[in-house]
Amino acid sequence: MLKYILTMMMITAFGIMTYLHEYQNIMMIFFVLSTVYFVQVVLKYESNTFRDQLTEAAINGVAGVVITDSQWRIQKVNLEFSRLTGRVESDVRGRSVFDFSLAIDPERLIEIRSVIKSRGYWRGEIDGVSKQGGDYTVLVRVQVLRNIAGKKVNYVATFHDITKRKQLENKLIELSEKDSMTGLLNRRKFDEELQLTSQLVNRYADMQTSLVLIDIDHFKSINDQYGHEEGDRVIKSVAAYLKDSCRTTDRIYRVGGEEFAVMMPYTEAESARKTIERLKEQFKSLNQSFAVTFSAGISEVGRQAVQSYREADVALYQAKGDGRDRVCCFESNVIPVFEKLYAV
C-alpha cells in the first residue's frame, strides 16, 4: 500500500511538473507573441508619427499650400500661407478661397475652371491683399485631386511669393514707359499706344479718338529770361495741370521738351477742341509768377498712326502761326502746308 501511495505520488508529481513545464511553454509563447505585437504597435506608431512629421514638413516647406474641397472651401493651409496673407488656418477653414481679396474677376475664374477641367491643373499669377492691407503677387499651380472612381474631391494649390520680383518688374516698366521729370507717359509709350489706337479705330467704327498735341508758347524765351530751372518748373506745372484736369479715360504723354500729347477716346475733334479750349483758358487763370500759355493742334486718329500724328502737328503749327494761345483742328485744305512741312 505504501508502495502504491509512493508510486501515485511520484506519478502526480511528474504530472504537475509536466503541466508546469507545458504552462511555462505556453506562457513563453504568449510572452513572445505579446512582445512581437507590442513591437509592431510601437513601430507602426513611430512610422505613422514619422510619416506625419514628413507630411507636415513638406506642407510647411518653402511653397505655400492651400487644400480645398470640391467647392473651393478651405480645408488646410500651411505656415507660408499664413505668413503671406496674415490669416491662420482657424480663420479660413471652411470658407471659400475667393473670400480673401484675390484679384480674380468672373471672366478669369471661368477661364481657370475651364483649363482645370481640360488639363487637370492651372498655372498662373494672382494678385491679392493681405489681412494687414499689403499687396502681394503669387505664382500659383492649382491641381485637381480625384478619388479612385475619378470623382473630383479636392483642389490643391501650391504657390510661391513673387511680390518683390513683380515690384521690380513694374518699376522697370515704369522707368521704360514714364517721363522721369513729369511722371507722364513718355514718347516711346505714346508711339506704341497711337499705333494700337489706330488699329482699334480701323477695326471698330465707334472707336472714334482724337489726338491733341500741346506746346508751351514762347518756351525758349522762358528759359532764356528766367533760366532752365524755371523752365522745368513750367513744364511740371503744365503736366500736373493736364493730369488733374483731363478725364480719367484720357491718356496724357510728354512727347518732347515742352510738348505734350493727349489721346481722347470716343471723342470727335470738335468736342476735343471745346474741351482743350476750356482747359487752356483755365490754365491762364492759374496763379503763376508770370504769364504762361499753350497752343494745341487736334486730329482724329485714322488708319495710319503716323499720318494722324502729322495732321495734329500741322494743326498745332497753324495754331502757332495764328498767334499762339490757340486751339486748331486739322483741316484738309491745309494739305499743301502739310506736304511742305514733311517733304523729304
Side-chain angles (χ1 to χ4, degrees):
M1 184 68 178
L2 179 61
K3 182 178 179 181
Y4 174 76
I5 293 173
L6 289 173
T7 302
M8 292 301 296
M9 289 179 62
M10 290 178 63
I11 293 172
T12 303
F14 178 78
I16 292 172
M17 290 179 63
T18 303
Y19 173 77
L20 290 174
H21 179 72
E22 291 298 326
Y23 179 75
Q24 287 177 342
N25 289 339
I26 293 172
M27 290 300 293
M28 181 62 71
I29 292 171
F30 177 76
F31 175 75
V32 171
L33 291 176
S34 298
T35 303
V36 170
Y37 176 75
F38 177 75
V39 170
Q40 287 178 334
V41 169
V42 170
L43 289 175
K44 185 177 181 180
Y45 173 78
E46 289 183 347
S47 177
N48 289 339
T49 302
F50 182 66
R51 185 165 58 249
D52 290 344
Q53 289 174 344
L54 283 178
T55 302
E56 194 69 20
I59 289 178
N60 287 316
V62 177
V65 177
V66 180
I67 301 174
T68 76
D69 62 15
S70 60
Q71 300 301 313
W72 300 93
R73 291 185 293 261
I74 296 174
Q75 294 181 328
K76 186 172 182 59
V77 299
N78 72 343
L79 296 177
E80 175 64 7
F81 173 91
S82 299
R83 181 198 68 79
L84 185 65
T85 66
R87 296 177 173 91
V88 297
E89 187 172 303
S90 59
D91 293 336
V92 300
R93 190 184 298 114
R95 297 178 61 184
S96 170
V97 72
F98 303 110
D99 288 347
F100 302 104
S101 303
L102 298 177
I104 303 178
D105 56 42
E107 289 184 3
R108 194 176 188 205
L109 182 56
I110 292 172
E111 176 200 342
I112 291 172
R113 285 176 168 166
S114 175
V115 172
I116 291 176
K117 185 177 180 180
S118 61
R119 297 182 184 175
Y121 72 92
W122 176 86
R123 187 173 184 272
E125 294 180 5
I126 293 178
D127 296 323
V129 180
S130 70
K131 188 177 182 180
Q132 293 75 24
D135 296 328
Y136 63 82
T137 303
V138 290
L139 179 62
V140 185
R141 179 186 170 94
V142 181
Q143 182 82 37
V144 63
L145 297 183
R146 301 182 185 276
N147 60 18
I148 195 169
K151 184 179 179 181
K152 178 174 59 182
V153 291
N154 291 99
Y155 292 104
V156 178
T158 56
F159 61 85
H160 293 276
D161 182 6
I162 59 170
T163 305
K164 291 183 179 179
R165 192 188 83 187
K166 290 300 293 184
Q167 288 173 343
L168 179 59
E169 287 178 3
N170 292 335
K171 185 65 177 177
L172 292 174
I173 290 172
E174 183 176 330
L175 290 173
S176 68
E177 295 183 347
K178 289 195 174 181
D179 173 59
S180 59
M181 179 187 291
T182 63
L184 298 179
L185 297 170
N186 60 19
R187 179 58 186 257
R188 175 179 170 277
K189 189 64 175 175
F190 168 74
D191 291 338
E192 178 184 310
E193 294 195 351
L194 178 59
Q195 186 67 41
L196 176 61
T197 302
S198 182
Q199 293 171 358
L200 291 173
V201 167
N202 187 32
R203 183 170 182 178
Y204 303 105
D206 62 339
M207 183 70 183
Q208 201 163 27
T209 301
S210 287
L211 170 61
V212 183
L213 293 184
I214 295 172
D215 189 86
I216 300 172
D217 295 328
H218 304 291
F219 185 73
K220 185 178 183 303
S221 299
I222 293 173
N223 273 339
D224 292 342
Q225 186 173 351
Y226 300 101
H228 289 278
E229 187 175 340
E230 190 64 21
D232 290 348
R233 187 197 64 78
V234 170
I235 289 173
K236 291 177 184 178
S237 69
V238 173
Y241 175 74
L242 292 174
K243 195 185 300 184
D244 292 340
S245 304
C246 289
R247 302 172 304 182
T248 55
T249 53
D250 295 335
R251 302 285 280 174
I252 311 166
Y253 316 81
R254 184 186 178 200
V255 294
E258 70 274 18
E259 190 172 338
F260 304 86
V262 181
M263 207 98 71
M264 303 177 70
Y266 301 103
T267 307
E268 296 178 349
E270 182 57 25
S271 296
R273 186 195 66 78
K274 291 178 180 178
T275 299
I276 299 302
E277 186 73 47
R278 174 176 54 80
L279 296 182
K280 177 180 72 67
E281 293 302 313
Q282 288 177 352
F283 180 75
K284 286 195 296 184
S285 66
L286 294 180
N287 207 4
Q288 310 236 19
S289 53
F290 52 87
V292 178
T293 63
F294 60 75
S295 300
I298 301 171
S299 70
E300 290 186 358
V301 177
R303 293 171 178 260
Q304 299 296 324
V306 173
Q307 182 176 342
S308 301
Y309 177 80
R310 288 178 174 177
E311 289 175 355
D313 200 27
V314 168
L316 175 60
Y317 181 86
Q318 183 181 350
K320 293 282 189 180
D322 288 347
R324 295 180 172 81
D325 189 20
R326 282 171 170 72
V327 180
C328 291
C329 293
F330 175 76
E331 298 175 3
S332 58
N333 59 10
V334 295
I335 287 294
V337 178
F338 172 78
E339 292 176 342
K340 182 177 178 182
L341 282 172
Y342 293 99
V344 179

